[in-house]
Amino acid sequence: MTHSDILIIGGGIAGMSAAYFLAKAGKSVTVLEREDQPGYHSTGRSAALYSETYGPKIIRKMSTASRDFFITPPDGFTENPILTPRGIIMTAAPGEEAELDAILTEGRANGANFVALTPDELKEIVPIINTDLIAAAAHETDAMDIDVHALHWGFIRRFKAMGGTLVTKADVSAISKSGDGWTVTLSKGEEYRGDIVVNAAGAWADDIAIKAGVKPLGITPKRRTAVMIDLPSDVKAHGWPLVASLDETLYFKEDAGRLLVSPADTTPTEPHDVQPEELDIAITIDRLMTATSVEVRRPGESWAGLRSFFKDGDPVSAFDPQESSFYWLAGQGGYGIQTAPAMGEYAASMICGNGIPAHMTRLGITEDALSATRASLVTGK
């Protein structure tokens, strides 16, 4: 029977970033991943973008706290840059101008480089846009694409190099606690022991809690669809920013001369190997054809991923209030990639009893914002 200081259940970006920082802190760590490859359900299906102005307040702070890691990762972490220039343009429909102005004001105050665009200026950048539906737009020029594979596997490689253990095909069947720690039993019979269990199981986080005899916090997996669309031969999309509607009903970005398009759907579902629905693909195409001049005769490949949320939309990174050796690291929604370095470092520091890292404290990050007992987690307000 293998014993580690820490057992992490889930080898996606949340689990592996925490594993990396825990191993760096000198802890023995075993990560148990139910699939045959880590990051299969959410991490590996993400069209990730780094923006310090995207998401709820705690997400924006965690994104800022991740900036230095993304720009200057540790030596040997990856051969390729994690961030590459992209930019993001947010479009506002008539009646949404004030909301867009508020985003520009906050973003600029936080140091983001925002340029306001008229509809005509927007069309010069992205010629296919239907400006009849747009009252105003804003271009965040320093938003970046994230190389998800480089980031995730950088954590995995460095974790293993520091002596960490990653076990795949590790479907958890039972979790029990005795006086000297936890025992996690896999469906194929192997047992792993640890002093602390970290629940980084994403959409399955509540299921893991129940198996451990811990009260679930109410996580909801939600489906997100993406479709590849071919562009006409005379449309040269290279270098376009990602374009997203302010009401979060459509976004698209150029990908190798094609468009990756999503209706930004958040359809509640059960945790499973989620696949795209025909209706969602049809909605995606209809919204793209309404927002642009692109005529879609036949969609390309499509896929779906799971984004998991708690009631108030913010993640939890904290010990369970009733079980002091069971740590929740879940509910990152669609922001797990862009916050991974900070979330992993935060979790490791809290698990090791070192409190919030100083550079996060300076950003105003508090334990309450990520706690398992915050009032908004219960009320959703």
Side-chain angles (χ1 to χ4, degrees):
M1 183 185 299
T2 301
H3 184 278
S4 302
D5 296 327
I6 315 290
L7 293 177
I8 298 179
I9 300 175
I13 196 69
M16 291 314 310
S17 59
Y20 164 82
F21 282 103
L22 284 164
K24 187 178 177 182
K27 299 294 184 181
S28 61
V29 183
T30 297
V31 178
L32 303 174
E33 166 54 47
R34 72 194 299 267
E35 303 297 342
D36 59 2
Q37 60 180 357
Y40 177 79
H41 290 284
S42 297
T43 301
R45 308 186 194 190
S46 174
L49 190 80
Y50 178 73
S51 167
E52 295 176 52
T53 63
Y54 178 56
K57 185 176 181 179
I58 185 58
I59 293 297
R60 298 194 298 271
K61 290 180 182 293
M62 280 295 188
S63 297
T64 296
S66 298
R67 178 202 298 143
D68 289 347
F69 189 102
F70 281 131
I71 295 173
T72 311
D75 291 342
F77 189 84
T78 177
E79 295 180 357
N80 303 312
I82 296 173
L83 300 181
T84 53
R86 166 69 67 174
I88 179 172
I89 291 176
M90 289 180 286
T91 63
E96 296 178 336
E97 296 92 335
E99 185 179 351
L100 184 64
D101 285 343
I103 291 174
L104 263 68
T105 300
E106 179 185 333
R108 287 166 175 165
N110 291 336
N113 186 18
F114 263 117
V115 178
L117 299 174
T118 65
D120 289 343
E121 290 170 333
L122 169 59
K123 198 170 183 68
E124 289 181 9
I125 300 172
V126 185
I128 63 171
I129 284 286
N130 179 3
T131 55
D132 292 343
L133 304 175
I134 297 172
H139 186 186
E140 184 183 352
T141 59
D142 48 8
M144 300 276 198
D145 274 337
I146 303 174
D147 186 332
V148 178
H149 184 270
L151 179 65
H152 191 208
W153 282 91
F155 283 129
I156 293 171
R157 282 193 301 270
R158 296 308 303 153
F159 168 67
K160 289 182 175 180
M162 291 184 286
T165 300
L166 171 61
V167 183
T168 56
K169 299 181 181 178
D171 185 23
V172 174
S173 63
I175 306 173
S176 61
K177 188 185 180 187
S178 60
D180 56 350
W182 295 88
T183 299
V184 176
T185 304
L186 306 186
S187 57
K188 50 189 179 180
E190 295 95 331
E191 292 184 343
Y192 293 84
R193 289 188 59 79
D195 301 324
I196 292 173
V197 165
V198 177
N199 183 3
W204 287 264
D206 274 355
D207 291 344
I208 291 298
I210 292 169
K211 287 177 180 177
V214 172
K215 182 180 177 181
L217 294 182
I219 200 163
T220 302
K222 297 183 179 183
R223 187 174 66 247
R224 170 62 55 91
T225 307
V227 184
M228 296 300 300
I229 301 295
D230 290 326
L231 287 167
S233 58
D234 60 342
V235 175
K236 307 302 178 185
H238 182 70
W240 284 1
L242 181 146
V243 179
S245 62
L246 194 61
D247 63 0
E248 297 191 48
T249 57
L250 177 73
Y251 67 79
F252 62 85
K253 72 171 184 175
E254 179 269 335
D255 187 337
R258 307 167 76 198
L259 288 186
L260 185 159
V261 189
S262 175
D265 47 331
T266 54
T267 306
T269 185
E270 294 298 316
H272 68 293
D273 183 8
V274 66
Q275 300 298 320
E277 300 283 341
E278 289 187 10
L279 177 59
D280 291 331
I281 295 172
I283 289 171
T284 303
I285 294 170
D286 179 70
R287 289 180 184 175
L288 180 71
M289 292 177 63
T290 299
T292 72
S293 60
V294 174
E295 292 289 331
V296 181
R297 292 181 173 84
R298 180 181 300 171
E301 59 271 30
S302 60
W303 65 93
L306 291 176
R307 305 162 80 243
S308 299
F309 296 85
F310 291 113
K311 288 182 180 179
D312 61 0
D314 290 342
V316 171
S317 182
F319 282 107
D320 186 83
Q322 303 301 321
E323 182 47 76
S324 61
S325 58
F326 186 92
Y327 194 92
W328 288 87
L329 181 57
Q332 288 88 347
Y335 315 106
I337 306 296
Q338 73 179 58
T339 62
M343 289 294 289
E345 182 183 1
Y346 179 97
S349 186
M350 299 301 288
I351 290 167
C352 292
N354 296 325
I356 302 174
H359 72 103
M360 298 186 196
T361 300
R362 289 193 292 271
L363 292 171
I365 294 169
T366 64
E367 288 187 43
D368 182 65
L370 294 166
S371 79
T373 58
R374 59 183 187 261
S376 57
L377 183 64
V378 178
T379 64
K381 297 180 181 179

